[in-house]
Amino acid sequence: AVILHEYMGSQLDVQLAKHAENCIAVDDVIASSARSVNPSVKTGFAPGMEQIKVGPTTDVTLVSMGMAHKINLTGYKKLSQVIQDDCRRFQLRLAAAVHEGYDVAEAFESIPKEVGRSWEGELFFLGFISDKLMSQELNLSQAAVLFGQYGARQSSSSILGAMVHGTPVITALDSNSSSWMKHGETLFDVNKLTKFPTTQELEYVSKNALAQVQGMTFRNFGQAIGFSNR
């Protein structure tokens, strides 16, 4: 059988179409051209996107983001263990970015596979999305799951960005994390969780974190380093 995605009338095209026992063109235009050498050419194609049946409604939506080469799989595995006995349905929506010099195609393939090995719940890979779409994801999620190469840092734009949105953060602390980053107060340390936080706990942490970071604006940062608007 021969499947024609195009037919330019080249010698090879003619030979393939003419001698194929079963020749199928993907659309009518290609079929019409190929029928000049083989009147039995048929048309046919299949949609490239599989239809995914909508499953049960997700109870808890989590969003995760970070640099592809800095994603820490240990945190996802620990969080997966925390929620394994929870009767609610969890969905993790994962976005990633890639530094210049890294293979984008490889990242698209490897990231969801690697995280999927550590995460037992439902996983959606969002790919590389704009800041606007990321903002929408944060607003629609119950928590942001952010595990970097090291423990949480004040210099993490992902962590501060989630907090500014009022989205509680689940991350991992270490000895170099900022003093204001406290488990159960401004964020959740996955290594100290024994169960997924309650709605009240999520709201409490979200409120405290927002109060902590709302003054961390570009304007205030500029003034701190000696720049001012003129």
Side-chain angles (χ1 to χ4, degrees), residues 191-224:
N191 295 305
K192 295 181 180 179
L193 287 176
T194 56
K195 61 182 180 63
F196 194 79
T198 64
T199 300
Q200 292 74 21
E201 290 170 335
L202 290 170
E203 291 176 350
Y204 176 76
V205 162
S206 171
K207 182 179 179 180
N208 290 341
L210 181 58
Q212 177 67 44
V213 303
Q214 62 184 0
M216 296 182 184
T217 64
F218 280 112
R219 181 186 295 273
N220 290 343
F221 183 63
Q223 291 176 347

mmCIF file of all heavy atoms in Angstrom, residues 191-224:
data_model
loop_
_atom_site.group_PDB
_atom_site.id
_atom_site.type_symbol
_atom_site.label_atom_id
_atom_site.label_comp_id
_atom_site.label_asym_id
_atom_site.label_seq_id
_atom_site.Cartn_x
_atom_site.Cartn_y
_atom_site.Cartn_z
ATOM 1 N N ASN A 191 8.296 18.219 52.799
ATOM 2 C CA ASN A 191 8.934 17.255 53.685
ATOM 3 C C ASN A 191 8.326 17.249 55.088
ATOM 4 O O ASN A 191 8.632 16.362 55.888
ATOM 5 C CB ASN A 191 10.437 17.546 53.776
ATOM 6 C CG ASN A 191 11.133 17.340 52.445
ATOM 7 O OD1 ASN A 191 11.035 16.281 51.850
ATOM 8 N ND2 ASN A 191 11.830 18.368 51.975
ATOM 9 N N LYS A 192 7.462 18.231 55.377
ATOM 10 C CA LYS A 192 6.802 18.287 56.683
ATOM 11 C C LYS A 192 5.308 17.981 56.591
ATOM 12 O O LYS A 192 4.616 18.002 57.610
ATOM 13 C CB LYS A 192 7.024 19.668 57.315
ATOM 14 C CG LYS A 192 8.488 19.947 57.642
ATOM 15 C CD LYS A 192 8.662 21.316 58.288
ATOM 16 C CE LYS A 192 10.123 21.583 58.621
ATOM 17 N NZ LYS A 192 10.322 22.928 59.241
ATOM 18 N N LEU A 193 4.837 17.717 55.389
ATOM 19 C CA LEU A 193 3.417 17.396 55.201
ATOM 20 C C LEU A 193 3.166 15.911 55.454
ATOM 21 O O LEU A 193 3.909 15.058 54.985
ATOM 22 C CB LEU A 193 2.969 17.740 53.781
ATOM 23 C CG LEU A 193 2.807 19.219 53.419
ATOM 24 C CD1 LEU A 193 2.451 19.346 51.934
ATOM 25 C CD2 LEU A 193 1.719 19.874 54.272
ATOM 26 N N THR A 194 2.120 15.636 56.194
ATOM 27 C CA THR A 194 1.679 14.249 56.385
ATOM 28 C C THR A 194 0.343 14.013 55.677
ATOM 29 O O THR A 194 -0.055 12.877 55.455
ATOM 30 C CB THR A 194 1.530 13.922 57.873
ATOM 31 O OG1 THR A 194 0.626 14.853 58.476
ATOM 32 C CG2 THR A 194 2.888 14.008 58.576
ATOM 33 N N LYS A 195 -0.343 15.100 55.350
ATOM 34 C CA LYS A 195 -1.567 15.045 54.573
ATOM 35 C C LYS A 195 -1.697 16.355 53.803
ATOM 36 O O LYS A 195 -1.036 17.346 54.141
ATOM 37 C CB LYS A 195 -2.795 14.832 55.467
ATOM 38 C CG LYS A 195 -3.026 15.929 56.490
ATOM 39 C CD LYS A 195 -4.223 15.614 57.356
ATOM 40 C CE LYS A 195 -4.485 16.706 58.389
ATOM 41 N NZ LYS A 195 -4.816 18.018 57.794
ATOM 42 N N PHE A 196 -2.527 16.350 52.773
ATOM 43 C CA PHE A 196 -2.679 17.563 51.989
ATOM 44 C C PHE A 196 -3.396 18.624 52.833
ATOM 45 O O PHE A 196 -4.343 18.321 53.555
ATOM 46 C CB PHE A 196 -3.479 17.294 50.713
ATOM 47 C CG PHE A 196 -3.396 18.410 49.712
ATOM 48 C CD1 PHE A 196 -2.286 18.549 48.899
ATOM 49 C CD2 PHE A 196 -4.423 19.341 49.601
ATOM 50 C CE1 PHE A 196 -2.194 19.587 47.983
ATOM 51 C CE2 PHE A 196 -4.347 20.383 48.688
ATOM 52 C CZ PHE A 196 -3.227 20.509 47.872
ATOM 53 N N PRO A 197 -2.942 19.886 52.755
ATOM 54 C CA PRO A 197 -3.531 20.952 53.580
ATOM 55 C C PRO A 197 -5.046 21.101 53.363
ATOM 56 O O PRO A 197 -5.554 20.883 52.268
ATOM 57 C CB PRO A 197 -2.779 22.209 53.109
ATOM 58 C CG PRO A 197 -1.500 21.689 52.530
ATOM 59 C CD PRO A 197 -1.834 20.382 51.917
ATOM 60 N N THR A 198 -5.728 21.482 54.423
ATOM 61 C CA THR A 198 -7.155 21.746 54.341
ATOM 62 C C THR A 198 -7.387 23.081 53.640
ATOM 63 O O THR A 198 -6.458 23.875 53.450
ATOM 64 C CB THR A 198 -7.783 21.811 55.734
ATOM 65 O OG1 THR A 198 -7.214 22.945 56.444
ATOM 66 C CG2 THR A 198 -7.494 20.533 56.527
ATOM 67 N N THR A 199 -8.625 23.338 53.277
ATOM 68 C CA THR A 199 -8.973 24.606 52.642
ATOM 69 C C THR A 199 -8.605 25.773 53.533
ATOM 70 O O THR A 199 -8.073 26.798 53.074
ATOM 71 C CB THR A 199 -10.483 24.651 52.311
ATOM 72 O OG1 THR A 199 -10.796 23.575 51.429
ATOM 73 C CG2 THR A 199 -10.855 25.967 51.659
ATOM 74 N N GLN A 200 -8.873 25.630 54.828
ATOM 75 C CA GLN A 200 -8.557 26.694 55.777
ATOM 76 C C GLN A 200 -7.057 26.937 55.863
ATOM 77 O O GLN A 200 -6.596 28.086 55.922
ATOM 78 C CB GLN A 200 -9.112 26.342 57.176
ATOM 79 C CG GLN A 200 -10.629 26.342 57.273
ATOM 80 C CD GLN A 200 -11.276 25.139 56.612
ATOM 81 O OE1 GLN A 200 -10.630 24.102 56.407
ATOM 82 N NE2 GLN A 200 -12.549 25.267 56.244
ATOM 83 N N GLU A 201 -6.273 25.862 55.859
ATOM 84 C CA GLU A 201 -4.818 26.001 55.917
ATOM 85 C C GLU A 201 -4.275 26.649 54.643
ATOM 86 O O GLU A 201 -3.361 27.484 54.709
ATOM 87 C CB GLU A 201 -4.182 24.624 56.129
ATOM 88 C CG GLU A 201 -4.434 24.054 57.516
ATOM 89 C CD GLU A 201 -4.008 22.611 57.638
ATOM 90 O OE1 GLU A 201 -3.967 21.904 56.596
ATOM 91 O OE2 GLU A 201 -3.727 22.169 58.771
ATOM 92 N N LEU A 202 -4.830 26.283 53.510
ATOM 93 C CA LEU A 202 -4.409 26.881 52.241
ATOM 94 C C LEU A 202 -4.701 28.381 52.238
ATOM 95 O O LEU A 202 -3.856 29.191 51.819
ATOM 96 C CB LEU A 202 -5.127 26.213 51.072
ATOM 97 C CG LEU A 202 -4.727 24.770 50.752
ATOM 98 C CD1 LEU A 202 -5.685 24.164 49.737
ATOM 99 C CD2 LEU A 202 -3.292 24.704 50.227
ATOM 100 N N GLU A 203 -5.877 28.758 52.702
ATOM 101 C CA GLU A 203 -6.254 30.173 52.731
ATOM 102 C C GLU A 203 -5.379 30.959 53.702
ATOM 103 O O GLU A 203 -4.995 32.102 53.425
ATOM 104 C CB GLU A 203 -7.729 30.302 53.116
ATOM 105 C CG GLU A 203 -8.679 29.788 52.039
ATOM 106 C CD GLU A 203 -10.131 29.825 52.481
ATOM 107 O OE1 GLU A 203 -10.378 30.065 53.692
ATOM 108 O OE2 GLU A 203 -11.019 29.622 51.625
ATOM 109 N N TYR A 204 -5.065 30.358 54.838
ATOM 110 C CA TYR A 204 -4.230 31.022 55.852
ATOM 111 C C TYR A 204 -2.827 31.301 55.298
ATOM 112 O O TYR A 204 -2.307 32.420 55.409
ATOM 113 C CB TYR A 204 -4.144 30.135 57.096
ATOM 114 C CG TYR A 204 -3.235 30.657 58.179
ATOM 115 C CD1 TYR A 204 -3.631 31.718 58.999
ATOM 116 C CD2 TYR A 204 -1.978 30.087 58.390
ATOM 117 C CE1 TYR A 204 -2.786 32.192 60.007
ATOM 118 C CE2 TYR A 204 -1.137 30.556 59.384
ATOM 119 C CZ TYR A 204 -1.544 31.612 60.189
ATOM 120 O OH TYR A 204 -0.705 32.088 61.170
ATOM 121 N N VAL A 205 -2.219 30.298 54.706
ATOM 122 C CA VAL A 205 -0.877 30.442 54.150
ATOM 123 C C VAL A 205 -0.884 31.428 52.979
ATOM 124 O O VAL A 205 0.025 32.257 52.839
ATOM 125 C CB VAL A 205 -0.328 29.069 53.711
ATOM 126 C CG1 VAL A 205 0.848 29.228 52.758
ATOM 127 C CG2 VAL A 205 0.089 28.263 54.925
ATOM 128 N N SER A 206 -1.901 31.345 52.152
ATOM 129 C CA SER A 206 -2.006 32.251 51.007
ATOM 130 C C SER A 206 -2.052 33.703 51.456
ATOM 131 O O SER A 206 -1.370 34.570 50.898
ATOM 132 C CB SER A 206 -3.264 31.912 50.203
ATOM 133 O OG SER A 206 -3.511 32.888 49.216
ATOM 134 N N LYS A 207 -2.848 33.984 52.476
ATOM 135 C CA LYS A 207 -2.988 35.348 52.991
ATOM 136 C C LYS A 207 -1.675 35.861 53.567
ATOM 137 O O LYS A 207 -1.258 36.995 53.312
ATOM 138 C CB LYS A 207 -4.080 35.382 54.058
ATOM 139 C CG LYS A 207 -4.346 36.754 54.638
ATOM 140 C CD LYS A 207 -5.461 36.690 55.675
ATOM 141 C CE LYS A 207 -5.721 38.067 56.298
ATOM 142 N NZ LYS A 207 -6.809 38.011 57.312
ATOM 143 N N ASN A 208 -0.986 35.025 54.342
ATOM 144 C CA ASN A 208 0.285 35.427 54.945
ATOM 145 C C ASN A 208 1.367 35.652 53.895
ATOM 146 O O ASN A 208 2.158 36.603 53.995
ATOM 147 C CB ASN A 208 0.762 34.357 55.935
ATOM 148 C CG ASN A 208 -0.093 34.287 57.178
ATOM 149 O OD1 ASN A 208 -0.830 35.236 57.494
ATOM 150 N ND2 ASN A 208 -0.028 33.182 57.899
ATOM 151 N N ALA A 209 1.417 34.780 52.902
ATOM 152 C CA ALA A 209 2.430 34.903 51.852
ATOM 153 C C ALA A 209 2.212 36.167 51.032
ATOM 154 O O ALA A 209 3.165 36.878 50.698
ATOM 155 C CB ALA A 209 2.399 33.674 50.949
ATOM 156 N N LEU A 210 0.960 36.450 50.715
ATOM 157 C CA LEU A 210 0.655 37.645 49.929
ATOM 158 C C LEU A 210 1.060 38.903 50.677
ATOM 159 O O LEU A 210 1.623 39.840 50.095
ATOM 160 C CB LEU A 210 -0.838 37.683 49.601
ATOM 161 C CG LEU A 210 -1.321 38.874 48.763
ATOM 162 C CD1 LEU A 210 -0.571 38.941 47.438
ATOM 163 C CD2 LEU A 210 -2.827 38.783 48.527
ATOM 164 N N ALA A 211 0.822 38.918 51.981
ATOM 165 C CA ALA A 211 1.217 40.070 52.798
ATOM 166 C C ALA A 211 2.732 40.244 52.809
ATOM 167 O O ALA A 211 3.244 41.364 52.850
ATOM 168 C CB ALA A 211 0.695 39.887 54.226
ATOM 169 N N GLN A 212 3.448 39.116 52.731
ATOM 170 C CA GLN A 212 4.908 39.166 52.765
ATOM 171 C C GLN A 212 5.504 39.684 51.467
ATOM 172 O O GLN A 212 6.489 40.427 51.469
ATOM 173 C CB GLN A 212 5.457 37.757 53.048
ATOM 174 C CG GLN A 212 6.958 37.653 53.043
ATOM 175 C CD GLN A 212 7.607 38.419 54.195
ATOM 176 O OE1 GLN A 212 7.130 38.344 55.328
ATOM 177 N NE2 GLN A 212 8.689 39.117 53.912
ATOM 178 N N VAL A 213 4.919 39.321 50.320
ATOM 179 C CA VAL A 213 5.546 39.617 49.034
ATOM 180 C C VAL A 213 4.908 40.776 48.274
ATOM 181 O O VAL A 213 5.449 41.205 47.247
ATOM 182 C CB VAL A 213 5.539 38.367 48.120
ATOM 183 C CG1 VAL A 213 6.243 37.214 48.795
ATOM 184 C CG2 VAL A 213 4.112 37.989 47.711
ATOM 185 N N GLN A 214 3.778 41.289 48.737
ATOM 186 C CA GLN A 214 3.090 42.304 47.944
ATOM 187 C C GLN A 214 3.898 43.590 47.788
ATOM 188 O O GLN A 214 3.667 44.375 46.869
ATOM 189 C CB GLN A 214 1.711 42.612 48.548
ATOM 190 C CG GLN A 214 1.730 43.174 49.941
ATOM 191 C CD GLN A 214 0.309 43.340 50.485
ATOM 192 O OE1 GLN A 214 -0.661 43.031 49.801
ATOM 193 N NE2 GLN A 214 0.193 43.821 51.712
ATOM 194 N N GLY A 215 4.877 43.801 48.677
ATOM 195 C CA GLY A 215 5.737 44.973 48.542
ATOM 196 C C GLY A 215 6.938 44.741 47.643
ATOM 197 O O GLY A 215 7.696 45.671 47.344
ATOM 198 N N MET A 216 7.100 43.510 47.179
ATOM 199 C CA MET A 216 8.239 43.174 46.320
ATOM 200 C C MET A 216 7.893 43.482 44.866
ATOM 201 O O MET A 216 7.717 42.591 44.030
ATOM 202 C CB MET A 216 8.622 41.701 46.488
ATOM 203 C CG MET A 216 9.105 41.347 47.871
ATOM 204 S SD MET A 216 9.609 39.599 47.972
ATOM 205 C CE MET A 216 10.003 39.462 49.724
ATOM 206 N N THR A 217 7.803 44.754 44.545
ATOM 207 C CA THR A 217 7.472 45.190 43.191
ATOM 208 C C THR A 217 8.732 45.672 42.478
ATOM 209 O O THR A 217 9.763 45.961 43.106
ATOM 210 C CB THR A 217 6.454 46.339 43.230
ATOM 211 O OG1 THR A 217 7.068 47.466 43.885
ATOM 212 C CG2 THR A 217 5.198 45.930 43.988
ATOM 213 N N PHE A 218 8.653 45.784 41.145
ATOM 214 C CA PHE A 218 9.791 46.291 40.386
ATOM 215 C C PHE A 218 10.086 47.738 40.782
ATOM 216 O O PHE A 218 11.248 48.160 40.812
ATOM 217 C CB PHE A 218 9.500 46.208 38.888
ATOM 218 C CG PHE A 218 9.695 44.829 38.324
ATOM 219 C CD1 PHE A 218 8.611 44.094 37.872
ATOM 220 C CD2 PHE A 218 10.959 44.266 38.257
ATOM 221 C CE1 PHE A 218 8.793 42.817 37.354
ATOM 222 C CE2 PHE A 218 11.148 42.992 37.739
ATOM 223 C CZ PHE A 218 10.057 42.265 37.288
ATOM 224 N N ARG A 219 9.063 48.499 41.099
ATOM 225 C CA ARG A 219 9.259 49.886 41.508
ATOM 226 C C ARG A 219 10.078 49.962 42.792
ATOM 227 O O ARG A 219 11.066 50.707 42.891
ATOM 228 C CB ARG A 219 7.906 50.568 41.710
ATOM 229 C CG ARG A 219 8.027 52.052 42.127
ATOM 230 C CD ARG A 219 6.647 52.614 42.448
ATOM 231 N NE ARG A 219 5.809 52.628 41.255
ATOM 232 C CZ ARG A 219 5.792 53.632 40.387
ATOM 233 N NH1 ARG A 219 6.584 54.686 40.564
ATOM 234 N NH2 ARG A 219 4.997 53.583 39.337
ATOM 235 N N ASN A 220 9.674 49.177 43.788
ATOM 236 C CA ASN A 220 10.393 49.184 45.064
ATOM 237 C C ASN A 220 11.800 48.614 44.919
ATOM 238 O O ASN A 220 12.749 49.081 45.550
ATOM 239 C CB ASN A 220 9.614 48.389 46.105
ATOM 240 C CG ASN A 220 8.339 49.087 46.523
ATOM 241 O OD1 ASN A 220 8.168 50.287 46.290
ATOM 242 N ND2 ASN A 220 7.442 48.343 47.145
ATOM 243 N N PHE A 221 11.932 47.601 44.068
ATOM 244 C CA PHE A 221 13.245 47.013 43.853
ATOM 245 C C PHE A 221 14.171 48.017 43.175
ATOM 246 O O PHE A 221 15.351 48.149 43.532
ATOM 247 C CB PHE A 221 13.118 45.751 42.996
ATOM 248 C CG PHE A 221 14.420 45.020 42.777
ATOM 249 C CD1 PHE A 221 15.119 44.475 43.839
ATOM 250 C CD2 PHE A 221 14.944 44.877 41.499
ATOM 251 C CE1 PHE A 221 16.318 43.798 43.638
ATOM 252 C CE2 PHE A 221 16.142 44.212 41.287
ATOM 253 C CZ PHE A 221 16.825 43.669 42.354
ATOM 254 N N GLY A 222 13.638 48.748 42.207
ATOM 255 C CA GLY A 222 14.417 49.780 41.525
ATOM 256 C C GLY A 222 14.876 50.870 42.472
ATOM 257 O O GLY A 222 16.016 51.335 42.404
ATOM 258 N N GLN A 223 13.984 51.293 43.355
ATOM 259 C CA GLN A 223 14.353 52.322 44.323
ATOM 260 C C GLN A 223 15.436 51.832 45.290
ATOM 261 O O GLN A 223 16.324 52.583 45.679
ATOM 262 C CB GLN A 223 13.107 52.751 45.096
ATOM 263 C CG GLN A 223 12.091 53.509 44.259
ATOM 264 C CD GLN A 223 10.832 53.838 45.026
ATOM 265 O OE1 GLN A 223 10.587 53.318 46.116
ATOM 266 N NE2 GLN A 223 10.009 54.706 44.455
ATOM 267 N N ALA A 224 15.361 50.533 45.625
ATOM 268 C CA ALA A 224 16.337 49.980 46.553
ATOM 269 C C ALA A 224 17.738 49.956 45.973
ATOM 270 O O ALA A 224 18.728 50.045 46.712
ATOM 271 C CB ALA A 224 15.908 48.564 46.960
#
